[in-house]
């Protein structure tokens, strides 16, 4: 994994240098001004090609499987799957609460994990939410953003979809510190880690069926709309917009 660490270090250097590169002159800054939710997209042709590939794979494979999953699995069971996956992510969220200096939120994350892991039967039931302790996921991309590190540039990852240099680094970092990954690989049960990721992606995709269909059918430029939504979502999360912390996939279910 040495190459992964080196890659992350190089990307972090680039991300830290990105804000300084824009300090030429006030005239240049005014000419290059973008709305705070916009992300620079210097590799748009490549990103559009990857977006097209992802969209094709989604229509041919992921969406049909998600429809079968949603049709076969009852809603209460799907909710338990979501609760269980969220609970497994809570230790990472707790770590980022601390790194962001949000001690109160760290306490909420810790309380949620204890309550849902015990009373909630391993996280199958979100008992903590009934006590007013709502779920809020945090990641390394958000932490870097709160530390003042910009996106760098927009990138569409194979299969994984919209991201940025900063958030891509965050994804790699969170994968490395994920307790589930550590336990699975340490005990030679890698299948547990990959199964968790696949099931989590399937559940999220099933909750987004109607919204994604609507975006495909009604967007003049589907690529640009998805990029804009991603930028707005990430900006809201970094700046603690209460609506941004609502899971986008949840809101899409009633689309």
């Amino acid at each position: 994994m040495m190459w992964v660490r080196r890659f992350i270090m190089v990307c972090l250097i680039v991300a830290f240098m990105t804000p300084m590169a824009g300090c030429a002159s006030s005239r240049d800054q005014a000419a290059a001004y973008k709305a705070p939710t916009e992300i620079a997209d210097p590799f748009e042709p490549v990103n559009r090609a990857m977006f097209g590939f992802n969209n094709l794979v989604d229509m041919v494979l992921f969406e049909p499987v998600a429809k079968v999953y949603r049709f076969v699995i009852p809603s209460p069971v799907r909710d338990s799957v979501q609760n269980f996956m969220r609970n497994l992510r809570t230790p990472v969220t707790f770590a980022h609460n601390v790194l962001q200096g949000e001690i109160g939120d760290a306490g909420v994350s810790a309380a949620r994990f204890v309550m849902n892991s015990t009373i909630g039967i391993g996280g199958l039931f979100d008992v903590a939410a009934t006590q007013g302790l709502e779920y809020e996921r945090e990641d390394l991309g958000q932490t870097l953003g709160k530390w003042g590190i910009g996106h760098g540039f927009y990138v569409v990852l194979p299969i994984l979809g919209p991201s940025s240099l900063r958030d891509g680094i965050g994804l790699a970092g969170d994968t490395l510190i994920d307790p589930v990954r550590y336990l699975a690989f340490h005990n030679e049960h890698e299948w547990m880690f990959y199964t968790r990721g696949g099931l989590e992606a399937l559940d999220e995709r099933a909750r987004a069926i109607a919204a994604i269909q609507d975006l495909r059918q009604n967007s003049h430029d589907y690529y640009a709309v998805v990029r804009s939504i991603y930028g707005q979502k990430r900006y809201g999360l970094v700046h603690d917009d209460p609506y941004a912390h609502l899971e986008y996939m949840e809101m899409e279910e009633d689309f």
Side-chain angles (χ1 to χ4, degrees):
M1 299 301 290
M2 182 63 67
W3 69 271
V4 176
R5 295 188 181 93
R6 289 177 178 173
F7 172 76
I8 292 173
M9 288 300 298
V10 171
C11 291
L12 278 173
I13 292 172
V14 174
F16 271 108
M17 291 178 65
T18 299
M20 292 185 283
C23 298
S25 69
S26 59
R27 180 176 298 179
D28 291 338
Q29 289 177 346
Y33 175 77
K34 290 181 178 293
T37 59
E38 293 182 18
I39 307 175
D41 193 1
F43 306 109
E44 183 171 341
V46 177
N47 283 334
R48 281 186 178 272
M50 184 56 66
F51 182 82
F53 169 77
N54 288 349
N55 190 41
L56 178 61
V57 173
D58 182 71
M59 290 190 295
V60 172
L61 179 61
F62 296 147
E63 185 175 278
V65 173
K67 287 181 176 179
V68 172
Y69 169 79
R70 185 162 180 169
F71 178 77
V72 173
I73 306 300
S75 180
V77 177
R78 297 199 306 271
D79 288 343
S80 288
V81 170
Q82 183 187 62
N83 293 335
F84 182 72
M85 297 302 170
R86 286 178 169 182
N87 198 54
L88 291 178
R89 296 282 182 184
T90 302
V92 175
T93 292
F94 172 81
H96 289 302
N97 288 145
V98 174
L99 289 172
Q100 294 170 21
E102 298 175 344
I103 306 304
D105 289 342
V108 170
S109 294
R112 280 185 55 84
F113 186 72
V114 172
M115 293 178 65
N116 289 343
S117 297
T118 54
I119 305 174
I121 313 177
L124 292 175
F125 302 96
D126 194 351
V127 179
T130 65
Q131 303 303 311
L133 303 176
E134 297 294 336
Y135 171 80
E136 289 186 6
R137 179 172 174 172
E138 301 286 343
D139 56 54
L140 182 54
Q142 291 171 243
T143 298
L144 295 175
K146 291 192 176 183
W147 289 354
I149 299 175
H151 275 289
F153 52 80
Y154 185 69
V155 59
V156 179
L157 300 174
I159 306 300
L160 299 177
S163 188
S164 67
L165 175 61
R166 183 193 71 198
D167 292 343
I169 294 169
L171 178 62
D174 283 336
T175 299
L176 290 175
I177 68 172
D178 185 356
V180 174
R181 177 190 175 279
Y182 175 80
L183 292 173
F185 280 72
H186 184 71
N187 294 288
E188 298 184 351
H189 293 307
E190 292 89 346
W191 65 269
M192 296 175 60
F193 173 74
Y194 295 119
T195 299
R196 190 276 302 270
L199 187 56
E200 188 175 42
L202 175 61
D203 181 72
E204 290 182 353
R205 182 61 184 87
R207 295 173 186 274
I209 290 174
I212 291 179
Q213 287 178 339
D214 181 82
L215 288 176
R216 280 182 180 144
Q217 295 170 5
N218 300 311
S219 299
H220 175 68
D221 186 344
Y222 183 32
Y223 170 86
V225 169
V226 172
R227 181 181 59 194
S228 177
I229 291 174
Y230 181 80
Q232 293 175 48
K233 174 72 174 179
R234 297 303 294 179
Y235 180 86
L237 288 173
V238 169
H239 292 83
D240 288 326
D241 182 339
Y243 292 101
H245 275 289
L246 293 173
E247 282 296 306
Y248 181 60
M249 299 307 177
E250 268 190 6
M251 294 189 290
E252 289 175 338
E253 193 156 14
D254 297 326
F255 228 78

